[in-house]
Amino acid sequence: AAPASPSPAQAAAAAGVMLHSAANQAYCIDAAQDYSAKRIPVRLFTCHGGENQRWILTPDPNGVTAVAGILGQCLDIKGAHAADGTNAHLDPCNGGASQQFTYDAAGHLRDQTTGKCLTVTKEARGAPIIIEPFDPGNPGQAWSTAER
């Protein structure tokens, strides 16, 4: 028998999803296009659906999620015990603690080690994505995978 076609959800996962800011759905998490950088900066940018805005969320059985982006690199927080305000970036995937997140039903991407959340402090093009203490009432900490 021929293999079954992938479901729409499987196809979307393979192509990656855009992570829209819950505070303003017109903005998405974006990898800066300086691919020569050792740590590719991650920022807020107007959603356009390009490959630098496509993310593959890969959960394991324990709920830990790796977030892979462009060039097969993973979302990373420098140091497993990073200070508030530390910028997120892309680095080669290594499965380390600084590349492990939980993605909950409310759209929070939380660093597995510290419990801190990926946060945007201002809804402006180019604003950095940082980690801050988890605040369930902060719309700058919620991310939607809904395609727009």
Side-chain angles (χ1 to χ4, degrees), residues 4-46:
S5 296
S7 72
Q10 290 169 323
V17 296
M18 292 166 53
L19 291 167
H20 297 265
S21 169
N24 183 339
Q25 291 282 312
Y27 288 115
C28 289
I29 297 180
D30 178 282
Q33 292 186 337
D34 178 8
Y35 304 140
S36 64
K38 182 173 181 186
R39 290 190 166 105
I40 299 171
V42 178
R43 63 194 176 169
L44 198 67
F45 205 79
T46 307

PDB file of all heavy atoms in Angstrom, residues 4-46:
ATOM      1  N   ALA A   4       0.527   6.916   3.477  1.00  0.00           N
ATOM      2  CA  ALA A   4      -0.498   7.956   3.617  1.00  0.00           C
ATOM      3  C   ALA A   4       0.131   9.328   3.423  1.00  0.00           C
ATOM      4  O   ALA A   4       1.295   9.548   3.767  1.00  0.00           O
ATOM      5  CB  ALA A   4      -1.137   7.857   4.995  1.00  0.00           C
ATOM      6  N   SER A   5      -0.645  10.230   2.865  1.00  0.00           N
ATOM      7  CA  SER A   5      -0.185  11.611   2.719  1.00  0.00           C
ATOM      8  C   SER A   5      -0.100  12.236   4.096  1.00  0.00           C
ATOM      9  O   SER A   5      -0.888  11.894   4.986  1.00  0.00           O
ATOM     10  CB  SER A   5      -1.170  12.408   1.868  1.00  0.00           C
ATOM     11  OG  SER A   5      -1.204  11.889   0.571  1.00  0.00           O
ATOM     12  N   PRO A   6       0.837  13.167   4.282  1.00  0.00           N
ATOM     13  CA  PRO A   6       0.918  13.807   5.594  1.00  0.00           C
ATOM     14  C   PRO A   6      -0.340  14.639   5.859  1.00  0.00           C
ATOM     15  O   PRO A   6      -0.937  15.190   4.938  1.00  0.00           O
ATOM     16  CB  PRO A   6       2.155  14.702   5.491  1.00  0.00           C
ATOM     17  CG  PRO A   6       2.442  14.827   4.042  1.00  0.00           C
ATOM     18  CD  PRO A   6       1.836  13.658   3.354  1.00  0.00           C
ATOM     19  N   SER A   7      -0.726  14.681   7.122  1.00  0.00           N
ATOM     20  CA  SER A   7      -1.870  15.519   7.503  1.00  0.00           C
ATOM     21  C   SER A   7      -1.472  16.977   7.345  1.00  0.00           C
ATOM     22  O   SER A   7      -0.272  17.300   7.291  1.00  0.00           O
ATOM     23  CB  SER A   7      -2.250  15.242   8.959  1.00  0.00           C
ATOM     24  OG  SER A   7      -1.260  15.783   9.823  1.00  0.00           O
ATOM     25  N   PRO A   8      -2.451  17.899   7.294  1.00  0.00           N
ATOM     26  CA  PRO A   8      -2.094  19.326   7.241  1.00  0.00           C
ATOM     27  C   PRO A   8      -1.198  19.746   8.402  1.00  0.00           C
ATOM     28  O   PRO A   8      -0.278  20.533   8.226  1.00  0.00           O
ATOM     29  CB  PRO A   8      -3.453  20.030   7.286  1.00  0.00           C
ATOM     30  CG  PRO A   8      -4.406  19.034   6.683  1.00  0.00           C
ATOM     31  CD  PRO A   8      -3.886  17.691   7.148  1.00  0.00           C
ATOM     32  N   ALA A   9      -1.443  19.187   9.597  1.00  0.00           N
ATOM     33  CA  ALA A   9      -0.607  19.541  10.753  1.00  0.00           C
ATOM     34  C   ALA A   9       0.823  19.057  10.563  1.00  0.00           C
ATOM     35  O   ALA A   9       1.777  19.765  10.886  1.00  0.00           O
ATOM     36  CB  ALA A   9      -1.196  18.957  12.030  1.00  0.00           C
ATOM     37  N   GLN A  10       0.989  17.827  10.005  1.00  0.00           N
ATOM     38  CA  GLN A  10       2.337  17.311   9.763  1.00  0.00           C
ATOM     39  C   GLN A  10       3.049  18.129   8.698  1.00  0.00           C
ATOM     40  O   GLN A  10       4.235  18.413   8.813  1.00  0.00           O
ATOM     41  CB  GLN A  10       2.268  15.847   9.334  1.00  0.00           C
ATOM     42  CG  GLN A  10       1.859  14.909  10.451  1.00  0.00           C
ATOM     43  CD  GLN A  10       1.535  13.524   9.930  1.00  0.00           C
ATOM     44  OE1 GLN A  10       0.972  13.359   8.849  1.00  0.00           O
ATOM     45  NE2 GLN A  10       1.892  12.512  10.717  1.00  0.00           N
ATOM     46  N   ALA A  11       2.332  18.520   7.664  1.00  0.00           N
ATOM     47  CA  ALA A  11       2.932  19.338   6.603  1.00  0.00           C
ATOM     48  C   ALA A  11       3.363  20.696   7.151  1.00  0.00           C
ATOM     49  O   ALA A  11       4.444  21.186   6.834  1.00  0.00           O
ATOM     50  CB  ALA A  11       1.945  19.517   5.453  1.00  0.00           C
ATOM     51  N   ALA A  12       2.521  21.295   7.995  1.00  0.00           N
ATOM     52  CA  ALA A  12       2.878  22.587   8.585  1.00  0.00           C
ATOM     53  C   ALA A  12       4.099  22.457   9.484  1.00  0.00           C
ATOM     54  O   ALA A  12       4.983  23.312   9.480  1.00  0.00           O
ATOM     55  CB  ALA A  12       1.701  23.152   9.383  1.00  0.00           C
ATOM     56  N   ALA A  13       4.165  21.353  10.244  1.00  0.00           N
ATOM     57  CA  ALA A  13       5.313  21.146  11.131  1.00  0.00           C
ATOM     58  C   ALA A  13       6.593  21.007  10.327  1.00  0.00           C
ATOM     59  O   ALA A  13       7.637  21.525  10.711  1.00  0.00           O
ATOM     60  CB  ALA A  13       5.093  19.926  12.007  1.00  0.00           C
ATOM     61  N   ALA A  14       6.532  20.313   9.193  1.00  0.00           N
ATOM     62  CA  ALA A  14       7.721  20.126   8.365  1.00  0.00           C
ATOM     63  C   ALA A  14       8.196  21.445   7.771  1.00  0.00           C
ATOM     64  O   ALA A  14       9.393  21.683   7.635  1.00  0.00           O
ATOM     65  CB  ALA A  14       7.435  19.114   7.264  1.00  0.00           C
ATOM     66  N   ALA A  15       7.259  22.311   7.405  1.00  0.00           N
ATOM     67  CA  ALA A  15       7.604  23.601   6.814  1.00  0.00           C
ATOM     68  C   ALA A  15       7.932  24.628   7.883  1.00  0.00           C
ATOM     69  O   ALA A  15       8.504  25.665   7.599  1.00  0.00           O
ATOM     70  CB  ALA A  15       6.446  24.103   5.950  1.00  0.00           C
ATOM     71  N   GLY A  16       7.560  24.346   9.114  1.00  0.00           N
ATOM     72  CA  GLY A  16       7.749  25.289  10.202  1.00  0.00           C
ATOM     73  C   GLY A  16       6.541  26.188  10.354  1.00  0.00           C
ATOM     74  O   GLY A  16       5.697  26.297   9.463  1.00  0.00           O
ATOM     75  N   VAL A  17       6.443  26.794  11.504  1.00  0.00           N
ATOM     76  CA  VAL A  17       5.346  27.716  11.794  1.00  0.00           C
ATOM     77  C   VAL A  17       5.933  29.084  12.100  1.00  0.00           C
ATOM     78  O   VAL A  17       7.097  29.214  12.476  1.00  0.00           O
ATOM     79  CB  VAL A  17       4.483  27.229  12.988  1.00  0.00           C
ATOM     80  CG1 VAL A  17       3.782  25.919  12.659  1.00  0.00           C
ATOM     81  CG2 VAL A  17       5.321  27.085  14.254  1.00  0.00           C
ATOM     82  N   MET A  18       5.103  30.084  11.926  1.00  0.00           N
ATOM     83  CA  MET A  18       5.493  31.429  12.336  1.00  0.00           C
ATOM     84  C   MET A  18       5.038  31.610  13.778  1.00  0.00           C
ATOM     85  O   MET A  18       3.991  31.123  14.174  1.00  0.00           O
ATOM     86  CB  MET A  18       4.860  32.460  11.406  1.00  0.00           C
ATOM     87  CG  MET A  18       5.434  32.379  10.003  1.00  0.00           C
ATOM     88  SD  MET A  18       4.486  33.273   8.738  1.00  0.00           S
ATOM     89  CE  MET A  18       4.339  34.898   9.419  1.00  0.00           C
ATOM     90  N   LEU A  19       5.844  32.286  14.580  1.00  0.00           N
ATOM     91  CA  LEU A  19       5.497  32.578  15.968  1.00  0.00           C
ATOM     92  C   LEU A  19       5.110  34.058  16.058  1.00  0.00           C
ATOM     93  O   LEU A  19       5.968  34.932  16.093  1.00  0.00           O
ATOM     94  CB  LEU A  19       6.667  32.242  16.892  1.00  0.00           C
ATOM     95  CG  LEU A  19       6.969  30.754  17.011  1.00  0.00           C
ATOM     96  CD1 LEU A  19       8.315  30.529  17.673  1.00  0.00           C
ATOM     97  CD2 LEU A  19       5.859  30.048  17.789  1.00  0.00           C
ATOM     98  N   HIS A  20       3.784  34.301  16.065  1.00  0.00           N
ATOM     99  CA  HIS A  20       3.241  35.658  16.112  1.00  0.00           C
ATOM    100  C   HIS A  20       3.192  36.154  17.550  1.00  0.00           C
ATOM    101  O   HIS A  20       2.856  35.397  18.457  1.00  0.00           O
ATOM    102  CB  HIS A  20       1.802  35.678  15.579  1.00  0.00           C
ATOM    103  CG  HIS A  20       1.675  35.278  14.151  1.00  0.00           C
ATOM    104  ND1 HIS A  20       1.650  36.182  13.131  1.00  0.00           N
ATOM    105  CD2 HIS A  20       1.558  34.061  13.569  1.00  0.00           C
ATOM    106  CE1 HIS A  20       1.517  35.543  11.983  1.00  0.00           C
ATOM    107  NE2 HIS A  20       1.470  34.254  12.221  1.00  0.00           N
ATOM    108  N   SER A  21       3.459  37.425  17.746  1.00  0.00           N
ATOM    109  CA  SER A  21       3.311  38.033  19.062  1.00  0.00           C
ATOM    110  C   SER A  21       1.825  38.128  19.392  1.00  0.00           C
ATOM    111  O   SER A  21       1.030  38.606  18.578  1.00  0.00           O
ATOM    112  CB  SER A  21       3.924  39.435  19.065  1.00  0.00           C
ATOM    113  OG  SER A  21       3.570  40.114  20.253  1.00  0.00           O
ATOM    114  N   ALA A  22       1.446  37.690  20.581  1.00  0.00           N
ATOM    115  CA  ALA A  22       0.048  37.797  20.991  1.00  0.00           C
ATOM    116  C   ALA A  22      -0.359  39.255  21.174  1.00  0.00           C
ATOM    117  O   ALA A  22      -1.526  39.598  21.025  1.00  0.00           O
ATOM    118  CB  ALA A  22      -0.186  37.011  22.280  1.00  0.00           C
ATOM    119  N   ALA A  23       0.596  40.113  21.476  1.00  0.00           N
ATOM    120  CA  ALA A  23       0.291  41.532  21.675  1.00  0.00           C
ATOM    121  C   ALA A  23      -0.011  42.237  20.358  1.00  0.00           C
ATOM    122  O   ALA A  23      -0.774  43.200  20.325  1.00  0.00           O
ATOM    123  CB  ALA A  23       1.451  42.228  22.389  1.00  0.00           C
ATOM    124  N   ASN A  24       0.589  41.755  19.260  1.00  0.00           N
ATOM    125  CA  ASN A  24       0.352  42.344  17.940  1.00  0.00           C
ATOM    126  C   ASN A  24       0.655  41.274  16.901  1.00  0.00           C
ATOM    127  O   ASN A  24       1.809  41.009  16.593  1.00  0.00           O
ATOM    128  CB  ASN A  24       1.223  43.582  17.721  1.00  0.00           C
ATOM    129  CG  ASN A  24       0.950  44.262  16.402  1.00  0.00           C
ATOM    130  OD1 ASN A  24       0.424  43.672  15.463  1.00  0.00           O
ATOM    131  ND2 ASN A  24       1.310  45.527  16.312  1.00  0.00           N
ATOM    132  N   GLN A  25      -0.389  40.663  16.358  1.00  0.00           N
ATOM    133  CA  GLN A  25      -0.249  39.537  15.436  1.00  0.00           C
ATOM    134  C   GLN A  25       0.477  39.896  14.141  1.00  0.00           C
ATOM    135  O   GLN A  25       0.855  39.016  13.379  1.00  0.00           O
ATOM    136  CB  GLN A  25      -1.623  38.951  15.112  1.00  0.00           C
ATOM    137  CG  GLN A  25      -2.272  38.250  16.287  1.00  0.00           C
ATOM    138  CD  GLN A  25      -1.702  36.870  16.517  1.00  0.00           C
ATOM    139  OE1 GLN A  25      -1.560  36.074  15.599  1.00  0.00           O
ATOM    140  NE2 GLN A  25      -1.372  36.557  17.755  1.00  0.00           N
ATOM    141  N   ALA A  26       0.700  41.187  13.881  1.00  0.00           N
ATOM    142  CA  ALA A  26       1.428  41.599  12.673  1.00  0.00           C
ATOM    143  C   ALA A  26       2.930  41.368  12.821  1.00  0.00           C
ATOM    144  O   ALA A  26       3.661  41.422  11.836  1.00  0.00           O
ATOM    145  CB  ALA A  26       1.158  43.070  12.365  1.00  0.00           C
ATOM    146  N   TYR A  27       3.389  41.104  14.049  1.00  0.00           N
ATOM    147  CA  TYR A  27       4.816  40.894  14.312  1.00  0.00           C
ATOM    148  C   TYR A  27       5.096  39.433  14.652  1.00  0.00           C
ATOM    149  O   TYR A  27       4.307  38.772  15.315  1.00  0.00           O
ATOM    150  CB  TYR A  27       5.292  41.770  15.465  1.00  0.00           C
ATOM    151  CG  TYR A  27       5.378  43.232  15.123  1.00  0.00           C
ATOM    152  CD1 TYR A  27       4.554  44.159  15.738  1.00  0.00           C
ATOM    153  CD2 TYR A  27       6.297  43.695  14.192  1.00  0.00           C
ATOM    154  CE1 TYR A  27       4.641  45.508  15.433  1.00  0.00           C
ATOM    155  CE2 TYR A  27       6.390  45.044  13.882  1.00  0.00           C
ATOM    156  CZ  TYR A  27       5.561  45.948  14.507  1.00  0.00           C
ATOM    157  OH  TYR A  27       5.653  47.275  14.193  1.00  0.00           O
ATOM    158  N   CYS A  28       6.264  38.956  14.212  1.00  0.00           N
ATOM    159  CA  CYS A  28       6.693  37.569  14.431  1.00  0.00           C
ATOM    160  C   CYS A  28       8.131  37.530  14.947  1.00  0.00           C
ATOM    161  O   CYS A  28       8.895  38.472  14.754  1.00  0.00           O
ATOM    162  CB  CYS A  28       6.658  36.799  13.109  1.00  0.00           C
ATOM    163  SG  CYS A  28       5.005  36.459  12.503  1.00  0.00           S
ATOM    164  N   ILE A  29       8.483  36.380  15.554  1.00  0.00           N
ATOM    165  CA  ILE A  29       9.881  36.145  15.898  1.00  0.00           C
ATOM    166  C   ILE A  29      10.637  35.919  14.593  1.00  0.00           C
ATOM    167  O   ILE A  29      10.218  35.142  13.747  1.00  0.00           O
ATOM    168  CB  ILE A  29      10.030  34.947  16.844  1.00  0.00           C
ATOM    169  CG1 ILE A  29       9.320  35.224  18.175  1.00  0.00           C
ATOM    170  CG2 ILE A  29      11.508  34.638  17.076  1.00  0.00           C
ATOM    171  CD1 ILE A  29       9.411  34.081  19.172  1.00  0.00           C
ATOM    172  N   ASP A  30      11.753  36.614  14.446  1.00  0.00           N
ATOM    173  CA  ASP A  30      12.498  36.687  13.190  1.00  0.00           C
ATOM    174  C   ASP A  30      13.978  36.525  13.492  1.00  0.00           C
ATOM    175  O   ASP A  30      14.485  37.114  14.450  1.00  0.00           O
ATOM    176  CB  ASP A  30      12.214  38.078  12.595  1.00  0.00           C
ATOM    177  CG  ASP A  30      12.925  38.376  11.301  1.00  0.00           C
ATOM    178  OD1 ASP A  30      14.127  38.697  11.341  1.00  0.00           O
ATOM    179  OD2 ASP A  30      12.258  38.344  10.253  1.00  0.00           O
ATOM    180  N   ALA A  31      14.667  35.723  12.700  1.00  0.00           N
ATOM    181  CA  ALA A  31      16.126  35.624  12.805  1.00  0.00           C
ATOM    182  C   ALA A  31      16.712  36.683  11.885  1.00  0.00           C
ATOM    183  O   ALA A  31      16.393  36.719  10.696  1.00  0.00           O
ATOM    184  CB  ALA A  31      16.600  34.242  12.393  1.00  0.00           C
ATOM    185  N   ALA A  32      17.539  37.548  12.444  1.00  0.00           N
ATOM    186  CA  ALA A  32      18.176  38.589  11.634  1.00  0.00           C
ATOM    187  C   ALA A  32      18.923  37.936  10.487  1.00  0.00           C
ATOM    188  O   ALA A  32      19.469  36.843  10.628  1.00  0.00           O
ATOM    189  CB  ALA A  32      19.119  39.418  12.496  1.00  0.00           C
ATOM    190  N   GLN A  33      18.954  38.573   9.348  1.00  0.00           N
ATOM    191  CA  GLN A  33      19.514  37.932   8.157  1.00  0.00           C
ATOM    192  C   GLN A  33      21.019  38.086   8.022  1.00  0.00           C
ATOM    193  O   GLN A  33      21.554  37.967   6.934  1.00  0.00           O
ATOM    194  CB  GLN A  33      18.783  38.427   6.920  1.00  0.00           C
ATOM    195  CG  GLN A  33      17.351  37.942   6.907  1.00  0.00           C
ATOM    196  CD  GLN A  33      16.618  38.282   5.638  1.00  0.00           C
ATOM    197  OE1 GLN A  33      16.967  39.207   4.928  1.00  0.00           O
ATOM    198  NE2 GLN A  33      15.583  37.532   5.347  1.00  0.00           N
ATOM    199  N   ASP A  34      21.721  38.273   9.130  1.00  0.00           N
ATOM    200  CA  ASP A  34      23.180  38.267   9.107  1.00  0.00           C
ATOM    201  C   ASP A  34      23.623  36.849   9.436  1.00  0.00           C
ATOM    202  O   ASP A  34      23.932  36.518  10.574  1.00  0.00           O
ATOM    203  CB  ASP A  34      23.753  39.259  10.121  1.00  0.00           C
ATOM    204  CG  ASP A  34      25.273  39.235  10.140  1.00  0.00           C
ATOM    205  OD1 ASP A  34      25.877  38.561   9.269  1.00  0.00           O
ATOM    206  OD2 ASP A  34      25.861  39.871  11.019  1.00  0.00           O
ATOM    207  N   TYR A  35      23.597  35.961   8.430  1.00  0.00           N
ATOM    208  CA  TYR A  35      23.885  34.558   8.666  1.00  0.00           C
ATOM    209  C   TYR A  35      25.363  34.288   8.892  1.00  0.00           C
ATOM    210  O   TYR A  35      25.752  33.171   9.190  1.00  0.00           O
ATOM    211  CB  TYR A  35      23.349  33.702   7.520  1.00  0.00           C
ATOM    212  CG  TYR A  35      21.873  33.907   7.286  1.00  0.00           C
ATOM    213  CD1 TYR A  35      21.359  33.957   6.013  1.00  0.00           C
ATOM    214  CD2 TYR A  35      20.991  34.061   8.345  1.00  0.00           C
ATOM    215  CE1 TYR A  35      20.000  34.146   5.792  1.00  0.00           C
ATOM    216  CE2 TYR A  35      19.648  34.250   8.134  1.00  0.00           C
ATOM    217  CZ  TYR A  35      19.154  34.293   6.863  1.00  0.00           C
ATOM    218  OH  TYR A  35      17.819  34.487   6.656  1.00  0.00           O
ATOM    219  N   SER A  36      26.209  35.311   8.744  1.00  0.00           N
ATOM    220  CA  SER A  36      27.621  35.125   9.023  1.00  0.00           C
ATOM    221  C   SER A  36      27.914  35.262  10.514  1.00  0.00           C
ATOM    222  O   SER A  36      28.978  34.892  10.973  1.00  0.00           O
ATOM    223  CB  SER A  36      28.455  36.142   8.235  1.00  0.00           C
ATOM    224  OG  SER A  36      28.150  37.455   8.685  1.00  0.00           O
ATOM    225  N   ALA A  37      26.957  35.793  11.269  1.00  0.00           N
ATOM    226  CA  ALA A  37      27.149  35.988  12.703  1.00  0.00           C
ATOM    227  C   ALA A  37      27.253  34.639  13.403  1.00  0.00           C
ATOM    228  O   ALA A  37      26.592  33.670  13.017  1.00  0.00           O
ATOM    229  CB  ALA A  37      25.994  36.788  13.287  1.00  0.00           C
ATOM    230  N   LYS A  38      28.088  34.576  14.434  1.00  0.00           N
ATOM    231  CA  LYS A  38      28.216  33.337  15.204  1.00  0.00           C
ATOM    232  C   LYS A  38      26.906  33.046  15.927  1.00  0.00           C
ATOM    233  O   LYS A  38      26.431  31.933  15.930  1.00  0.00           O
ATOM    234  CB  LYS A  38      29.361  33.430  16.197  1.00  0.00           C
ATOM    235  CG  LYS A  38      29.542  32.142  16.977  1.00  0.00           C
ATOM    236  CD  LYS A  38      30.758  32.156  17.839  1.00  0.00           C
ATOM    237  CE  LYS A  38      30.854  30.812  18.542  1.00  0.00           C
ATOM    238  NZ  LYS A  38      31.895  30.765  19.491  1.00  0.00           N
ATOM    239  N   ARG A  39      26.344  34.040  16.537  1.00  0.00           N
ATOM    240  CA  ARG A  39      25.048  33.914  17.204  1.00  0.00           C
ATOM    241  C   ARG A  39      24.089  34.823  16.440  1.00  0.00           C
ATOM    242  O   ARG A  39      24.131  36.029  16.586  1.00  0.00           O
ATOM    243  CB  ARG A  39      25.142  34.347  18.660  1.00  0.00           C
ATOM    244  CG  ARG A  39      25.926  33.387  19.500  1.00  0.00           C
ATOM    245  CD  ARG A  39      25.775  33.729  20.982  1.00  0.00           C
ATOM    246  NE  ARG A  39      26.254  32.631  21.772  1.00  0.00           N
ATOM    247  CZ  ARG A  39      27.417  32.632  22.412  1.00  0.00           C
ATOM    248  NH1 ARG A  39      28.200  33.678  22.344  1.00  0.00           N
ATOM    249  NH2 ARG A  39      27.775  31.590  23.125  1.00  0.00           N
ATOM    250  N   ILE A  40      23.220  34.221  15.628  1.00  0.00           N
ATOM    251  CA  ILE A  40      22.296  35.008  14.813  1.00  0.00           C
ATOM    252  C   ILE A  40      21.256  35.632  15.734  1.00  0.00           C
ATOM    253  O   ILE A  40      20.527  34.918  16.430  1.00  0.00           O
ATOM    254  CB  ILE A  40      21.623  34.130  13.743  1.00  0.00           C
ATOM    255  CG1 ILE A  40      22.682  33.542  12.807  1.00  0.00           C
ATOM    256  CG2 ILE A  40      20.580  34.931  12.967  1.00  0.00           C
ATOM    257  CD1 ILE A  40      22.149  32.489  11.850  1.00  0.00           C
ATOM    258  N   PRO A  41      21.168  36.966  15.776  1.00  0.00           N
ATOM    259  CA  PRO A  41      20.197  37.624  16.656  1.00  0.00           C
ATOM    260  C   PRO A  41      18.757  37.268  16.280  1.00  0.00           C
ATOM    261  O   PRO A  41      18.431  37.051  15.115  1.00  0.00           O
ATOM    262  CB  PRO A  41      20.454  39.112  16.417  1.00  0.00           C
ATOM    263  CG  PRO A  41      21.809  39.193  15.804  1.00  0.00           C
ATOM    264  CD  PRO A  41      22.001  37.914  15.042  1.00  0.00           C
ATOM    265  N   VAL A  42      17.909  37.198  17.291  1.00  0.00           N
ATOM    266  CA  VAL A  42      16.483  36.950  17.115  1.00  0.00           C
ATOM    267  C   VAL A  42      15.755  38.192  17.606  1.00  0.00           C
ATOM    268  O   VAL A  42      16.073  38.739  18.656  1.00  0.00           O
ATOM    269  CB  VAL A  42      16.051  35.693  17.904  1.00  0.00           C
ATOM    270  CG1 VAL A  42      14.570  35.454  17.784  1.00  0.00           C
ATOM    271  CG2 VAL A  42      16.822  34.482  17.415  1.00  0.00           C
ATOM    272  N   ARG A  43      14.775  38.633  16.796  1.00  0.00           N
ATOM    273  CA  ARG A  43      14.105  39.900  17.084  1.00  0.00           C
ATOM    274  C   ARG A  43      12.646  39.820  16.656  1.00  0.00           C
ATOM    275  O   ARG A  43      12.209  38.839  16.066  1.00  0.00           O
ATOM    276  CB  ARG A  43      14.800  40.996  16.303  1.00  0.00           C
ATOM    277  CG  ARG A  43      14.650  40.735  14.811  1.00  0.00           C
ATOM    278  CD  ARG A  43      15.527  41.527  13.949  1.00  0.00           C
ATOM    279  NE  ARG A  43      15.318  41.094  12.566  1.00  0.00           N
ATOM    280  CZ  ARG A  43      15.780  41.720  11.546  1.00  0.00           C
ATOM    281  NH1 ARG A  43      16.507  42.796  11.701  1.00  0.00           N
ATOM    282  NH2 ARG A  43      15.541  41.283  10.330  1.00  0.00           N
ATOM    283  N   LEU A  44      11.917  40.874  16.930  1.00  0.00           N
ATOM    284  CA  LEU A  44      10.545  41.023  16.468  1.00  0.00           C
ATOM    285  C   LEU A  44      10.581  41.736  15.128  1.00  0.00           C
ATOM    286  O   LEU A  44      11.350  42.692  14.949  1.00  0.00           O
ATOM    287  CB  LEU A  44       9.760  41.860  17.483  1.00  0.00           C
ATOM    288  CG  LEU A  44       8.252  41.781  17.397  1.00  0.00           C
ATOM    289  CD1 LEU A  44       7.771  40.387  17.772  1.00  0.00           C
ATOM    290  CD2 LEU A  44       7.627  42.792  18.346  1.00  0.00           C
ATOM    291  N   PHE A  45       9.787  41.259  14.176  1.00  0.00           N
ATOM    292  CA  PHE A  45       9.790  41.876  12.855  1.00  0.00           C
ATOM    293  C   PHE A  45       8.421  41.670  12.220  1.00  0.00           C
ATOM    294  O   PHE A  45       7.695  40.745  12.580  1.00  0.00           O
ATOM    295  CB  PHE A  45      10.874  41.225  11.980  1.00  0.00           C
ATOM    296  CG  PHE A  45      11.375  42.099  10.870  1.00  0.00           C
ATOM    297  CD1 PHE A  45      12.291  43.105  11.111  1.00  0.00           C
ATOM    298  CD2 PHE A  45      10.912  41.911   9.578  1.00  0.00           C
ATOM    299  CE1 PHE A  45      12.748  43.911  10.083  1.00  0.00           C
ATOM    300  CE2 PHE A  45      11.362  42.701   8.546  1.00  0.00           C
ATOM    301  CZ  PHE A  45      12.288  43.712   8.797  1.00  0.00           C
ATOM    302  N   THR A  46       8.084  42.519  11.285  1.00  0.00           N
ATOM    303  CA  THR A  46       6.831  42.387  10.569  1.00  0.00           C
ATOM    304  C   THR A  46       6.759  40.996   9.934  1.00  0.00           C
ATOM    305  O   THR A  46       7.700  40.563   9.269  1.00  0.00           O
ATOM    306  CB  THR A  46       6.717  43.460   9.463  1.00  0.00           C
ATOM    307  OG1 THR A  46       6.938  44.747  10.054  1.00  0.00           O
ATOM    308  CG2 THR A  46       5.357  43.421   8.797  1.00  0.00           C
TER     309      THR A  46
END
